């Protein structure tokens, strides 16, 4: 086809040349009278010129072929570039676009040309484009812009655009030339990084809270020990008819409640993984609600409907606590301004095969059903569908992390249960949890009622706090024991070394300057390997009951203890030590 066109062009050119020659013919063209040599010379010149023209024609053809190849290369690079190229007129109409842009937008190139670029911008981002375009036209500088474009099928994607103003066809007429990249993946990766960063910050925050809770617990438990102990001493001296007796009893009850709250805080903030074991579900829920009740506003009530015969579950009690705290925390947030009621229902549930078939995670059998409901503002379907997603939250910035319900979902999953939620705007929310019932037998621990057992043994008592030392010494002496002691652990070690066989039991605090309780125990056991030692602590990350046993400490006690518990612990340590002596080598 190309050869036929070239041949036609040559014929036309020949005719035009002949016509031109006829128009310009003169006497110089008359060859008559020319000698044969002159004619031969003229023919030679003509042939030379013909060859020159042929060579020039071939050069022009070669140049044309190279231009065509270059144009093809440019077109290929332009159309199949990894980025989109397009031009926009001053009126905002797409005048040119490559195939990559068409592919990005999921349409044909012909469907782009002549259309307003705003047609392909997400409605929420169009203001970004208009402001960006205004700045471009105003400054004539190259600028970048990030916004979301919409494909033909309606799906949006993140686009990064590099724009410049190009003047063409006169200084007054301009167009915007744009290079655009699909940066959706990098945006998602950036969001993932932000989520991981937020998760790391939250994890560090929780770790700090755990450390802080431990430090506060140690100090607070020491203070509670002084309050509870001295209050009991006052109660012993008050006559039964005294009105102050009732007041001191209130102080005692409040002190014990404060002790239980500290225990719950330590349990919740503990960083070591807790193992699962069979637990009485009702008891765990009731214990958690004690802490929850003390932490929510008084304008929010709690209704408990806990069946007496609730089956046990094989669970981690700390995580069940955490689950309830998170659910009740969310319920509280939904009613914080208006007040309302949180309802806790706990009972047994039988799942038959029909119900089981509708839930892949449920096998037929016995379950424990926990329901947490509130009378708050409720949720719409969009929110309800996303509540278990990590970092999804409808709360204002700084009011929530978006991980509470994700944690709840994770806890339920690792306990082989399921969780569901029902809610609608203005009608509150209800979360339902099903956990498999534990079918094994749980041994019931029975503790005989003992009223402040006493004794006559010799005890070495050590505590660096003067108030706690005086309280402990007075308690022990009140129980009939002979007591010697010190507020300095180094001095206490010297007392012991001077008479290692004079004492039946050593009671020592854990956190003390110069020498901690566990270090004191190690030094004492070097002198007398079977010496009975009771270690007391408000809280310490350095020691646990297992570590204490490994050292050789026979009794590990968490402060504060009321007089009765303290008397039982001392008597138990002494009696167990005597039993070991009788059966020992």
């Amino acid at each position: 086809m190309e050869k036929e066109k070239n041949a036609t062009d040559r014929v036309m050119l020949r005719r035009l040349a002949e016509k031109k020659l006829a128009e310009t013919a003169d006497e110089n063209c008359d060859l008559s009278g020319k000698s044969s040599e002159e004619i031969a010379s003229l023919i030679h010149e003509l042939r030379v010129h013909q060859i020159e023209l042929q060579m020039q024609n071939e050069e022009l053809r070669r140049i044309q072929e190279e231009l065509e190849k270059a144009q093809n290369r440019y077109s290929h690079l332009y159309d199949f570039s990894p980025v989109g190229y397009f031009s926009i007129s001053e009126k905002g109409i797409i005048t040119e676009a490559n195939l990559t842009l068409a592919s990005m937008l999921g349409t044909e190139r012909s469907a782009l040309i002549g259309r307003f670029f705003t047609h392909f911008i997400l409605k929420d981002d169009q203001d970004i484009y208009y402001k960006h375009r205004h700045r471009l036209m105003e400054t004539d500088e190259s600028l970048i812009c990030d916004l979301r474009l919409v494909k033909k099928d309606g799906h949006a994607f993140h686009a990064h655009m590099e724009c410049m103003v190009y003047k063409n066809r006169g200084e007054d007429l301009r167009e915007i030339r744009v290079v655009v990249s699909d940066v959706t993946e990098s945006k998602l990766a950036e969001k993932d990084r932000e989520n991981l960063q937020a998760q790391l910050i939250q994890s560090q925050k929780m770790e700090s809270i755990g450390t802080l809770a431990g430090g506060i617990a140690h100090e607070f438990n020491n203070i509670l020990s002084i309050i509870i102990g001295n209050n009991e001493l006052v109660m012993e001296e008050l006559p039964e008819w005294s009105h102050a007796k009732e007041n001191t009893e209130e102080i005692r009850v409040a002190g014990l409640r404060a002790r239980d709250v500290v225990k719950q805080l330590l349990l919740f903030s503990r960083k070591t993984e807790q193992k699962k074991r069979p637990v009485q579900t009702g008891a765990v829920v009731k214990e958690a609600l004690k802490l929850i009740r003390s932490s929510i506003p008084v304008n929010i009530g709690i209704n408990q409907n806990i069946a007496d015969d609730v089956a046990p579950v094989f669970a981690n009690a700390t995580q069940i606590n955490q689950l309830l705290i998170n659910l009740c925390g969310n319920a509280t947030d939904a009613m914080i301004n208006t007040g309302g009621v949180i309802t806790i229902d706990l009972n047994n549930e039988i799942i038959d095969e029909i119900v089981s078939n509708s839930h892949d995670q449920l096998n037929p059998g016995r379950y424990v059903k926990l329901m947490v409901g509130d009378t708050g503002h409720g949720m719409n379907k969009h929110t309800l569908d996303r509540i278990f997603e990590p970092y999804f939250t409808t709360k204002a910035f700084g009011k929530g992390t978006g991980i509470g319900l994700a944690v709840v979902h994770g806890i339920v999953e690792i306990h082989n249960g399921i969780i569901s939620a029902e809610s609608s705007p203005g009608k509150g929310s209800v979360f339902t949890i099903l956990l498999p019932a534990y079918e094994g037998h749980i041994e019931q621990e029975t503790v005989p009622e003992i009223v402040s057992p006493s004794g006559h043994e010799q005890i070495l008592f050590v505590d660096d706090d003067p108030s706690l030392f005086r309280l402990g010494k007075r308690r022990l002496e009140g129980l009939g024991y002979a007591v010697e002691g010190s507020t300095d652990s180094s001095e206490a070690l010297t007392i012991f070394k001077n008479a290692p066989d004079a004492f039946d039991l050593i009671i020592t605090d854990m956190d003390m300057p110069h020498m901690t309780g566990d270090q004191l125990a190690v030094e004492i056991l070097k002198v007398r390997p079977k010496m009975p030692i009771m270690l007391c602590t408000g809280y310490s990350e350095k020691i646990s009951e297992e570590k204490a046993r490994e050292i050789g400490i026979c009794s590990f006690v968490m402060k504060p203890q009321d007089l009765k518990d303290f008397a039982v612990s001392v008597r138990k340590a002494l009696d167990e030590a005597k039993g070991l002596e009788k059966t020992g080598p």
Side-chain angles (χ1 to χ4, degrees):
M1 196 71 183
E2 186 68 25
K3 288 181 178 179
E4 291 177 4
K5 182 177 180 301
N6 291 338
T8 303
D9 290 343
R10 284 196 295 272
V11 170
M12 291 294 296
L13 184 63
R14 175 77 181 194
R15 288 177 180 173
L16 288 171
E18 289 175 345
K19 182 178 178 182
K20 187 72 175 175
L21 181 64
E23 291 174 353
T24 59
D26 56 24
E27 64 279 2
N28 294 328
C29 295
D30 186 9
L31 299 178
S32 59
K34 298 288 184 181
S35 66
S36 58
E37 288 83 1
E38 289 176 331
I39 293 173
S41 176
L42 182 60
I43 291 171
H44 174 75
E45 283 295 322
L46 289 173
R47 285 178 178 174
V48 169
H49 284 305
Q50 181 183 13
I51 292 170
E52 287 178 348
L53 288 172
Q54 287 176 347
M55 291 174 68
Q56 289 175 355
N57 190 40
E58 288 176 0
E59 180 65 15
L60 288 172
R61 191 181 300 113
R62 185 187 64 78
I63 292 171
Q64 182 180 2
E65 287 176 355
E66 287 183 358
L67 286 172
E68 289 175 354
K69 287 179 182 179
Q71 185 176 7
N72 288 336
R73 281 197 300 271
Y74 165 78
S75 297
H76 188 275
L77 290 172
Y78 177 77
D79 279 332
F80 299 102
S81 169
V83 294
Y85 291 114
F86 66 102
S87 300
I88 309 172
S89 70
E90 283 189 298
K91 293 182 179 181
I93 297 172
I94 299 174
T95 57
E96 188 180 4
N98 69 347
L99 293 177
T100 303
L101 179 68
S103 176
M104 281 184 185
L105 296 171
T107 187
E108 299 293 329
R109 176 159 47 187
S110 58
L112 300 178
I113 309 301
R115 301 193 70 176
F116 284 98
F117 178 54
T118 50
H119 178 80
F120 304 98
I121 301 174
L122 191 70
K123 190 174 181 180
D124 292 345
D125 289 4
Q126 290 195 1
D127 283 346
I128 299 173
Y129 164 70
Y130 285 125
K131 290 177 183 177
H132 178 70
R133 182 179 155 195
H134 178 73
R135 279 192 63 202
L136 272 170
M137 292 300 186
E138 197 174 56
T139 63
D140 276 354
E141 294 179 357
S142 297
L143 298 173
I144 61 172
C145 174
D146 286 340
L147 46 71
R148 288 169 293 177
L149 300 181
V150 183
K151 296 184 178 183
K152 184 180 179 180
D153 61 7
H155 286 87
F157 66 94
H158 292 273
H160 175 76
M161 302 197 311
E162 299 178 25
C163 311
M164 64 174 291
V165 175
Y166 179 77
K167 297 178 181 179
N168 61 347
R169 289 173 293 176
E171 290 294 315
D172 295 333
L173 195 60
R174 297 174 298 174
E175 67 177 9
I176 300 172
R177 292 186 176 179
V178 185
V179 180
V180 60
S181 306
D182 184 345
V183 292
T184 304
E185 287 188 8
S186 63
K187 286 285 185 182
L188 292 175
E190 183 180 346
K191 187 176 180 180
D192 287 342
R193 284 195 299 272
E194 289 174 357
N195 287 343
L196 287 172
Q197 182 68 18
Q199 188 176 1
L200 176 61
I201 292 170
Q202 183 66 17
S203 175
Q204 291 170 339
K205 190 185 298 182
M206 291 301 293
E207 185 175 355
S208 299
I209 290 172
T211 303
L212 181 63
I216 292 173
H218 175 263
E219 294 300 325
F220 196 54
N221 280 335
N222 280 343
I223 295 169
L224 283 176
S225 296
I226 296 170
I227 294 171
I228 293 170
N230 282 287
N231 182 67
E232 287 172 344
L233 295 176
V234 172
M235 290 178 69
E236 288 178 0
E237 296 181 3
L238 289 173
E240 291 298 326
W241 51 263
S242 173
H243 292 297
K245 193 84 171 178
E246 294 180 7
N247 301 125
T248 53
E249 176 60 23
E250 289 293 329
I251 294 172
R252 189 186 74 85
V253 171
L256 294 178
R257 282 180 61 194
R259 177 192 66 181
D260 292 341
V261 169
V262 175
K263 283 183 179 179
Q264 287 287 348
L265 285 171
L266 286 175
L267 191 67
F268 180 69
S269 64
R270 189 170 293 170
K271 290 173 281 187
T272 54
E273 185 178 352
Q274 301 296 300
K275 296 179 180 178
K276 294 180 187 177
R277 62 181 181 83
V279 294
Q280 293 291 356
T281 318
V284 172
V285 171
K286 288 177 182 177
E287 192 68 23
L289 290 178
K290 289 180 185 178
L291 179 60
I292 292 167
R293 176 66 274 177
S294 65
S295 64
I296 64 175
V298 293
N299 66 334
I300 297 175
I302 296 180
N303 286 343
Q304 301 181 41
N305 302 311
I306 299 175
D308 295 331
D309 61 342
V310 178
V313 294
F314 191 73
N316 180 314
T318 303
Q319 291 177 331
I320 301 300
N321 266 280
Q322 188 177 2
L323 178 152
L324 270 167
I325 289 169
N326 284 345
L327 287 179
C328 291
N330 268 21
T332 300
D333 289 339
M335 303 180 291
I336 194 72
N337 296 321
T338 60
V341 177
I342 298 174
T343 302
I344 310 291
D345 290 321
L346 184 68
N347 49 55
N348 298 315
E349 183 88 357
I350 302 295
I351 300 297
D352 57 25
E353 290 191 5
I354 296 174
V355 177
S356 174
N357 289 336
S358 63
H359 295 278
D360 294 337
Q361 302 98 324
L362 284 181
N363 295 319
R366 286 205 313 152
Y367 286 80
V368 172
K369 184 178 182 180
L370 172 65
M371 299 177 70
V372 179
D374 66 67
T375 57
H377 50 66
M379 297 175 281
N380 57 33
K381 187 177 184 305
H382 173 72
T383 302
L384 193 62
D385 289 340
R386 299 189 61 192
I387 54 174
F388 296 117
E389 294 179 14
Y391 301 101
F392 173 76
T393 180
T394 58
K395 300 174 186 176
F397 179 77
K399 298 294 183 182
T401 61
I403 65 171
L405 288 177
V407 169
V408 169
H409 190 272
I411 290 172
V412 173
E413 276 197 336
I414 65 175
H415 285 85
N416 301 316
I418 64 166
I419 181 171
S420 60
E422 297 177 13
S423 185
S424 57
K427 295 184 178 180
S429 305
V430 177
F431 287 83
T432 302
I433 296 168
L434 288 171
L435 299 174
Y438 179 70
E439 302 296 345
H441 177 67
I442 299 179
E443 293 288 340
Q444 298 293 330
E445 294 183 5
T446 56
V447 179
E449 186 69 22
I450 303 174
V451 180
S452 301
S454 57
H456 57 276
E457 288 87 350
Q458 183 81 16
I459 295 176
L460 176 61
F461 183 72
V462 191
D463 198 308
D464 66 306
D465 189 308
S467 297
L468 289 174
F469 177 74
R470 287 193 299 270
L471 173 64
K473 190 171 185 294
R474 190 170 173 183
R475 272 181 166 183
L476 290 167
E477 289 173 343
L479 293 169
Y481 298 105
V483 184
E484 188 174 351
S486 175
T487 57
D488 184 278
S489 51
S490 298
E491 184 183 5
L493 180 59
T494 301
I495 293 171
F496 174 76
K497 286 182 175 179
N498 290 336
D501 297 323
F503 301 101
D504 299 295
L505 177 67
I506 293 174
I507 302 175
T508 177
D509 185 34
M510 172 60 191
D511 289 303
M512 297 184 293
H514 310 305
M515 186 183 297
T516 58
D518 57 335
Q519 292 171 339
L520 176 61
V522 169
E523 295 303 317
I524 287 171
L525 292 170
K526 287 178 182 178
V527 178
R528 184 177 161 187
K530 292 187 179 294
M531 182 69 223
I533 300 172
M534 176 188 290
L535 183 66
C536 304
T537 180
Y539 174 77
S540 176
E541 290 188 346
K542 299 175 184 177
I543 196 71
S544 64
E545 187 169 2
E546 292 76 15
K547 289 179 180 178
R549 295 285 182 185
E550 290 173 7
I551 291 171
I553 297 169
C554 67
S555 180
F556 182 82
V557 173
M558 290 294 296
K559 295 189 291 186
Q561 284 193 318
D562 60 12
L563 178 59
K564 176 184 168 183
D565 291 338
F566 181 69
V568 169
S569 296
V570 172
R571 189 69 258 166
K572 183 180 178 183
L574 285 165
D575 291 343
E576 286 182 354
K578 289 179 180 179
L580 287 173
E581 286 177 4
K582 289 177 183 178
T583 58

